[in-house]
Amino acid sequence: MNDIQIGKLLKTEKTPLYIFDLDELLERIKFLRERLPDKVKLCYAVKANSFILEEVNNAVDRLEICSPGELSICQKLKLPPEKFVISGVYKEAALMEQLIYGENTVGHYTVESMSQFKLLHDTAVKYSKKISLLLRLTSGNQFGLEEREIERLIEQYKDAPFVDIAGIQYFSGTQKNSVKRLRRETEYVDCYINKLEEHYGLEIKELEFGPGFPVAYFDGEDFDEVHFMEEFSSMISNMSFKGKIVLELGRSIAASCGTYVTKVVDTKVNHGQNYGIVDGGMNHIVYYGQSMAMKQPVCRKLFSDKDGEKEKWNICGSLCTANDILIKQFPLWNLQIGDVLVFSNTGAYCMTEGISLFLTRDLPEIILIKQGNAPQIVRGSVPTDYLNTPQRRENNYGKIN
């Protein structure tokens, strides 16, 4: 977003706030599709940003859902269940029963453990409903199944009447800018799928792969994304697996469409250090790998005047903790109370990763913009005091006064 657009919004809206540019979002998805092989489909991780879901839904092939809350959001928006991938390390039995029994068929369920498989299989049998499963292959952490567990499930259930083992899911992390690492991962998964097909006679119809494409959040990060995408696409095209490939992305799709805007409410000099206090803070915005503000996020002063010499400023939020530092030693011209700072690439995770209930400050307003349309407020500023206020009620131990 440019300064003129933001300035117009600030004539009627107060800071802090998030602005999500839907035109930029669609351009980003177009960029990804144009640089990936035609057979590759896109799956959007709902956890990255649920406020842009309606626009994303029209532009991607699937939606990855990892919690009951995310599912509820998708259902309230009336998004198509056939595009849902019900994921997550903890699947509540009652919710799985509700989904499998329900009239609307969900696209896929992931399997993270042997007990999850039993839950899904037994529920499908109970209601005589056939469901499609993606077995998650672990990359060595708490997620997914080991190879021997996947093989045991395929041996026992490849012809089961109520579960269709459609494919494999594999995800090993995020912010991966190493082509060599991605090559090792794709080659490993490719070989493993070949093994499953040859040794166990199961046709693997699809691979859902989380490549963890990186986002340049900080100044000075040198990343040639076009070349990176060319190399990754070549890897995918050279895989022996010829089934459907679905890339699960969140950060890479959503980050660039977001802008966080916060106002300077105080300035001071302590022991020779310049401090600018803003009305936002780390309760609203968290950058992946920020490491206590040791890196400088992509940020600018709105309508910067560039008079005189730059001075270095420590930009701190409104929370009463020494940890609330957004940027250290940030060079700025003539910073004053009332100036507005604009943080870029905040479209993924930033608005939900902050410790939003700390010090009981309001959640920021969220606005969607699209060319030719009026700005749309999709969440007003939300007070949090009611969430942090003790409620007097009766319980098994009597009334708490």
Side-chain angles (χ1 to χ4, degrees):
M1 287 198 68
N2 61 46
D3 287 3
I4 293 175
Q5 291 173 302
I6 296 172
K8 285 182 179 178
L9 283 176
L10 292 181
K11 289 180 179 179
T12 56
E13 309 303 327
K14 66 177 185 178
T15 58
L17 80 158
Y18 271 99
I19 308 165
F20 298 131
D21 185 335
L22 299 181
D23 294 309
E24 166 58 32
L25 171 68
L26 295 180
E27 278 299 311
R28 177 62 187 174
I29 295 173
K30 180 182 177 183
F31 171 90
L32 291 169
R33 288 200 184 276
E34 287 176 345
R35 284 158 180 80
L36 291 166
D38 291 340
K39 71 173 183 177
V40 170
K41 306 299 181 184
L42 294 181
C43 176
Y44 177 67
V46 171
K47 62 180 177 286
N49 185 340
S50 59
F51 295 99
I52 57 175
L53 267 175
E54 289 179 293
E55 201 74 21
V56 168
N57 172 63
N58 294 326
V60 302
D61 306 287
R62 284 193 188 158
L63 302 169
E64 188 99 2
I65 297 169
C66 292
S67 73
E70 290 179 0
L71 175 63
S72 177
I73 292 169
C74 291
Q75 291 174 330
K76 287 174 182 175
L77 294 174
K78 295 182 170 45
L79 303 183
E82 62 271 18
K83 293 176 75 168
F84 296 174
V85 179
I86 305 299
S87 192
V89 292
Y90 173 42
K91 293 181 172 67
E92 291 85 342
L95 182 57
M96 295 305 103
E97 185 158 345
Q98 176 187 333
L99 285 172
I100 292 171
Y101 175 74
E103 294 181 4
N104 297 317
T105 301
V106 166
H108 299 277
Y109 298 83
T110 67
V111 176
E112 292 269 0
S113 68
M114 299 298 277
S115 59
Q116 263 196 18
F117 181 89
K118 185 177 188 310
L119 166 64
L120 293 167
H121 172 267
D122 291 355
T123 307
V125 170
K126 179 179 179 180
Y127 294 108
S128 300
K129 291 281 191 71
K130 190 162 189 175
I131 59 175
S132 178
L133 303 180
L134 298 174
L135 305 183
R136 181 165 184 173
L137 173 63
T138 186
S139 60
N141 49 30
Q142 74 267 40
F143 303 107
L145 296 150
E146 292 185 339
E147 290 183 13
R148 59 182 177 80
E149 292 177 313
I150 288 177
E151 291 156 18
R152 193 188 319 160
L153 289 176
I154 290 174
E155 280 185 314
Q156 294 180 30
Y157 295 97
K158 68 178 181 180
D159 297 318
F162 296 113
V163 292
D164 173 26
I165 299 177
I168 296 295
Q169 184 191 56
Y170 185 80
F171 180 82
S172 67
T174 190
Q175 291 292 84
K176 291 184 287 188
N177 58 11
S178 169
V179 172
K180 290 182 179 179
R181 179 180 173 183
L182 283 169
R183 181 173 287 110
R184 287 196 303 268
E185 292 178 355
T186 53
E187 289 175 352
Y188 163 63
V189 175
D190 198 22
C191 288
Y192 186 62
I193 289 175
N194 284 338
K195 174 184 175 181
L196 294 178
E197 292 183 331
E198 291 176 6
H199 292 193
Y200 298 94
L202 177 70
E203 178 191 2
I204 303 297
K205 294 185 281 292
E206 65 177 82
L207 165 65
E208 183 179 304
F209 183 72
F213 291 155
V215 170
Y217 281 127
F218 307 108
D219 283 334
E221 290 184 328
D222 185 17
F223 175 61
D224 184 347
E225 187 175 29
V226 172
H227 179 67
F228 176 87
M229 293 294 294
E230 287 175 356
E231 292 206 49
F232 177 79
S233 295
S234 177
M235 290 178 215
I236 295 295
S237 297
N238 291 330
M239 290 177 70
S240 61
F241 174 65
K242 300 306 178 186
K244 181 189 295 185
I245 295 178
V246 182
L247 296 186
E248 188 263 335
L249 301 169
R251 193 183 307 274
S252 183
I253 286 175
S256 63
C257 80
T259 301
Y260 177 68
V261 182
T262 183
K263 184 179 293 184
V264 177
V265 295
D266 201 358
T267 60
K268 62 178 77 173
V269 179
N270 284 346
H271 295 285
Q273 293 284 317
N274 293 321
Y275 290 91
I277 310 299
V278 296
D279 56 5
M282 70 176 190
N283 54 327
H284 296 164
I285 181 170
V286 174
Y287 281 95
Y288 179 87
Q290 189 169 353
S291 302
M292 294 293 292
M294 295 305 291
K295 297 180 180 180
Q296 290 190 358
V298 180
C299 179
R300 68 182 188 275
K301 188 173 83 167
L302 190 69
F303 299 121
S304 182
D305 44 31
K306 298 185 180 181
D307 288 336
E309 294 184 4
K310 280 185 177 181
E311 294 181 300
K312 291 184 177 180
W313 288 84
N314 300 305
I315 305 302
C316 304
S318 300
L319 304 183
C320 292
T321 169
N323 294 331
D324 193 8
I325 304 172
L326 298 183
I327 322 177
K328 284 184 176 180
Q329 299 297 299
F330 189 43
L332 288 165
W333 280 285
N334 193 29
L335 189 68
Q336 299 180 24
I337 293 173
D339 286 342
V340 172
L341 297 181
V342 179
F343 290 78
S344 301
N345 290 341
T346 63
Y349 299 108
C350 295
M351 79 299 303
T352 52
E353 283 189 337
I355 48 176
S356 53
L357 298 184
F358 188 45
L359 265 87
T360 316
R361 288 196 172 273
D362 292 356
L363 298 179
E365 187 173 275
I366 292 178
I367 297 175
L368 303 183
I369 65 164
K370 189 173 185 180
Q371 189 173 5
N373 296 326
Q376 181 183 9
I377 299 174
V378 292
R379 186 185 78 188
S381 178
V382 180
T384 62
D385 57 298
Y386 75 99
L387 294 172
N388 288 343
T389 302
Q391 303 297 314
R392 306 302 183 190
R393 61 186 177 84
E394 295 282 351
N395 58 30
N396 294 336
Y397 305 101
K399 187 175 182 179
I400 300 175
N401 295 312

